[in-house]
Amino acid sequence: MNKLEAFGHIAALAIRGDLVFPTSVNAALRVQLALDDPDCPMEEAIRLVLAEPTLAARTVSLSNSAMFNRTGGPTVTNVRSAIMRVGYHNLFALAAAMVVRQFGAKIEDPELRAKAEQLWDHTIHVACLARIIAREVTGVSPDTALFAAIVHEVGGFYLLSRADEFPGLLEPDPENWQPASEEIITREVMHKLGIPEPVANAIEGLRDGFLQVPPETLLDTLLLANHFSPVASPLEVARAEPPHSDSVIDLFIDEEKRVKIREEAALDAASMSAALLV
């Protein structure tokens, strides 16, 4: 089966809803869906988090990270206090991060695993940048921006998780890249994961989207975060995402603000990465 046939096969399975998820992803999905309810009682949220030991440990760790404890408050040692500090929206994003991360857990090929690790590093940097850019530049919800950035490469993670079965599927060969197939796969994976439509639309717009001036949408936020990310996606060459001129960005983000955003995001990415590796 060549690359074109492999993409067609995976896309056809995705359209039928025949998506292969690791068991751990399904468990994290159950938590994520429950937390999606803004009226979810605190006691139920605590029970759900405690039912997943990895999520519990990461929630407590994240609440003590510089990202959520900038004032140097007391160390959190329990799930209840961690949820109160992090908040439901970020707990939801954390569950989504677990889902994304688990897609790479079953990869055996060393080269594919390396790509998955680079994609994860890219995702964390984009997530931290998006949260700050939303707050400082575009005015969209920082919580929504964080969540959207965490899941913006979920289609790529899914393809990497299936690439062991299809040797050469993700080799850098733009002539055989099938963007239409990948878009279908990404759309169906997001549907299966229950990604809200506004977030899904922004993610789908990343491939061909262009920055508007001034930037004020979730798509603009994701485009800027990807542009500033110090870690590139290993799938970037194949996707040929449209470049955004620094001269255009200079119109609304001066050099001083750009440095500030990058420095804060780098600190957040380091603390978030450490917390999520618990």
Side-chain angles (χ1 to χ4, degrees):
M1 183 180 292
N2 62 32
K3 185 182 294 190
L4 176 59
E5 292 171 333
F7 266 107
H9 178 68
I10 297 173
L13 291 175
I15 292 172
R16 294 209 309 261
D18 189 6
L19 296 167
V20 181
F21 285 2
T23 303
S24 53
V25 166
N26 293 321
L29 272 177
R30 287 194 293 272
V31 176
Q32 184 184 348
L33 290 173
L35 292 172
D36 193 29
D37 180 1
D39 297 321
C40 178
M42 173 65 79
E43 296 304 319
E44 176 64 8
I46 293 171
R47 186 190 70 77
L48 288 167
V49 173
L50 287 174
E52 294 296 327
T54 301
L55 179 60
R58 289 175 179 172
T59 301
V60 172
S61 181
L62 192 65
S63 72
N64 287 315
S65 71
M67 189 172 182
F68 291 101
N69 189 24
R70 294 196 184 283
T71 60
T75 300
V76 166
T77 58
N78 60 79
V79 169
R80 180 186 297 275
S81 298
I83 292 175
M84 291 179 67
R85 179 179 286 178
V86 172
Y88 270 21
H89 286 291
N90 291 313
L91 185 58
F92 181 75
L94 181 56
M98 280 185 60
V99 170
V100 171
R101 185 67 166 156
Q102 287 303 314
F103 277 120
K106 59 175 285 190
I107 297 175
E108 297 180 358
D109 182 274
E111 290 187 14
L112 292 174
R113 182 172 287 279
K115 283 187 176 182
E117 288 301 320
Q118 183 180 339
L119 193 58
W120 174 249
D121 288 343
H122 168 76
T123 296
I124 291 297
H125 281 281
V126 171
C128 293
L129 282 161
R131 182 170 177 263
I132 297 167
I133 290 168
R135 185 189 73 212
E136 300 289 339
V137 181
T138 60
V140 304
S141 164
D143 292 339
T144 299
L146 177 69
F147 171 70
I150 283 174
V151 298
H152 86 285
E153 289 282 8
V154 71
F157 277 107
Y158 181 76
L159 284 171
L160 282 167
S161 75
R162 300 299 305 276
D164 271 328
E165 305 166 46
F166 304 96
L169 179 68
L170 294 180
E171 288 180 358
D173 186 359
E175 291 184 3
N176 287 327
W177 185 262
Q178 294 298 305
S181 295
E182 194 208 358
E183 286 173 11
I184 291 170
I185 293 163
T186 297
R187 188 179 304 121
E188 294 304 322
V189 171
M190 289 195 296
H191 177 72
K192 179 71 177 285
L193 296 179
I195 305 300
E197 186 175 352
V199 173
N201 288 342
I203 291 170
E204 288 188 39
L206 276 172
R207 179 185 295 279
D208 300 314
F210 283 90
L211 201 64
Q212 67 177 28
V213 180
E216 55 187 13
T217 68
L218 181 57
L219 173 57
D220 294 329
T221 304
L222 294 177
L223 286 169
L224 283 170
N226 271 277
H227 180 81
F228 286 137
S229 175
V231 180
S233 163
L235 309 178
E236 202 169 70
V237 174
R239 289 174 181 173
E241 292 177 356
H244 300 287
S245 169
D246 282 335
S247 61
V248 171
I249 295 174
D250 284 341
L251 295 174
F252 46 86
I253 304 179
D254 61 29
E255 183 61 26
E256 182 179 354
K257 178 177 280 191
R258 191 177 305 191
V259 169
K260 180 183 175 183
I261 288 172
R262 282 176 164 155
E263 288 180 347
E264 183 179 343
L267 291 173
D268 285 349
S271 63
M272 190 175 181
S273 293
L276 293 178
L277 286 174
V278 171

